[in-house]
Amino acid sequence: MSRKPAIIGAMDSEIAMYLEHGEVKAEHKWHEFVFYEMNLKGVDCIVSKSGIGKVMSAMVCQHLIDTYAPTEIIFTGVAGALNTNLDIGDVVVSKDCMQHDIDGRALGFPRGTILFSDKSLFEADDELHDLAMASHVDGHRIYSGRILTGDQFFTHKDIEDHAYLTTDMAGDCIEMEGGSIGLVCAENNVPFVIVRTISDKADGSAAEDFSKLHHLVAGNSYSIVSQMLPKL
Ligand code: ADE
């Protein structure tokens, strides 16, 4: 079966290089969202911008699946580092991902677990994960890890108040869409992987670093995805 991947980024800066380097064949609008049918590196794919957060990304992901029947979903973008070994520009490829801000502990459910279910960690597809890991980016490391997702931008104070992100949840990086993409893909049985370049260290300079660097470092995620596509 020929493959038709869908690629989602949350911000313009995260999908700009796909639109620049690929050939856009058609554009479709759904509500405020635009879906680009395109050819990139010889592969027909759909590219879309979700906007920020778990709800926006879930909407776009479900619409993509229902309308375009992609063979896989690749999320491309930036993240804040939680793992202190990671530097700005390094890339985290999801081994798995989780919503860190769903919290039903008062009802006896572990943090990160969807209440009244056993759903918490969403595992990336092995083939997509391994293809991403086999790519390279000059001067930066590609790291296989756990992506934590929630509807908050984290800075130094937040991280101090949320030690569980690294202690209990063993997160390597933090962002705002991967866990909801993982959930929607799991519910629909669609393989996925999240590719996130570190734009900041979720510390006191996170807001400044993110604002300065997200345009630049998003290119590392693009570089990895563009190396993966011809090998699908
Ligand atoms: N995406 C990039 N940096 C982030 C941070 N510090 N917190 C949440 N999402 C992010």
Side-chain angles (χ1 to χ4, degrees):
M1 186 182 66
S2 80
R3 307 280 280 257
K4 188 171 67 167
I7 299 164
I8 309 175
M11 300 182 295
D12 286 326
S13 61
E14 292 171 324
I15 64 160
M17 293 184 113
Y18 297 85
L19 301 181
E20 271 166 37
H21 294 286
E23 183 195 348
V24 176
K25 298 193 157 170
E27 290 182 30
H28 308 281
K29 265 203 101 170
W30 177 71
H31 300 290
E32 69 184 79
F33 307 104
V34 182
F35 297 83
Y36 299 93
E37 284 194 59
M38 46 190 308
N39 189 280
L40 187 66
K41 305 279 168 192
V43 178
D44 288 331
C45 53
I46 318 283
V47 174
S48 189
K49 181 183 82 165
S50 62
I52 304 287
K54 294 193 296 180
V55 176
M56 302 285 268
S57 54
M59 280 179 78
V60 162
C61 191
Q62 187 64 57
H63 180 73
L64 263 170
I65 292 170
D66 291 343
T67 310
Y68 302 98
T71 47
E72 51 265 307
I73 304 254
I74 303 174
F75 197 96
T76 178
V78 303
L82 296 174
N83 182 328
T84 50
N85 293 322
L86 290 168
D87 276 328
I88 288 173
D90 289 346
V91 181
V92 180
V93 174
S94 63
K95 199 196 260 313
D96 51 36
C97 57
M98 186 186 216
Q99 301 179 77
H100 65 75
D101 59 353
I102 186 160
D103 185 359
R105 286 173 301 154
L107 295 174
F109 297 95
R111 207 198 282 274
T113 297
I114 297 174
L115 281 61
F116 302 102
S117 84
D118 56 4
K119 295 172 192 152
S120 57
L121 269 185
F122 302 103
E123 286 189 15
D125 176 70
D126 284 340
E127 182 200 6
L128 297 173
H129 169 273
D130 294 351
L131 276 179
M133 290 303 297
S135 310
H136 69 275
V137 178
D138 283 348
H140 294 289
R141 289 194 319 147
I142 304 177
Y143 190 93
S144 167
R146 174 163 300 162
I147 294 183
L148 298 185
T149 303
D151 284 321
Q152 306 81 18
F153 185 89
F154 271 77
T155 60
H156 191 48
K157 178 165 185 320
D158 300 310
I159 290 294
E160 281 173 356
D161 293 347
H162 297 81
Y164 60 86
L165 293 171
T166 47
T167 52
D168 299 354
M169 291 183 157
D172 292 299
C173 71
I174 190 159
E175 41 82 300
M176 301 175 73
E177 294 84 21
S180 39
I181 297 287
L183 167 56
V184 172
C185 287
E187 292 291 333
N188 289 274
N189 216 10
V190 174
F192 79 94
V193 72
I194 316 289
V195 180
R196 291 284 193 179
T197 305
I198 300 303
S199 57
D200 59 83
K201 296 193 173 178
D203 58 8
S205 1
E208 199 184 325
D209 287 343
F210 172 84
S211 304
K212 247 187 352 220
L213 297 172
H214 70 88
H215 290 93
L216 214 64
V217 300
N220 288 357
S221 296
Y222 165 76
S223 167
I224 288 180
V225 176
S226 63
Q227 290 170 64
M228 293 169 67
L229 289 179
K231 297 185 189 146
L232 285 175

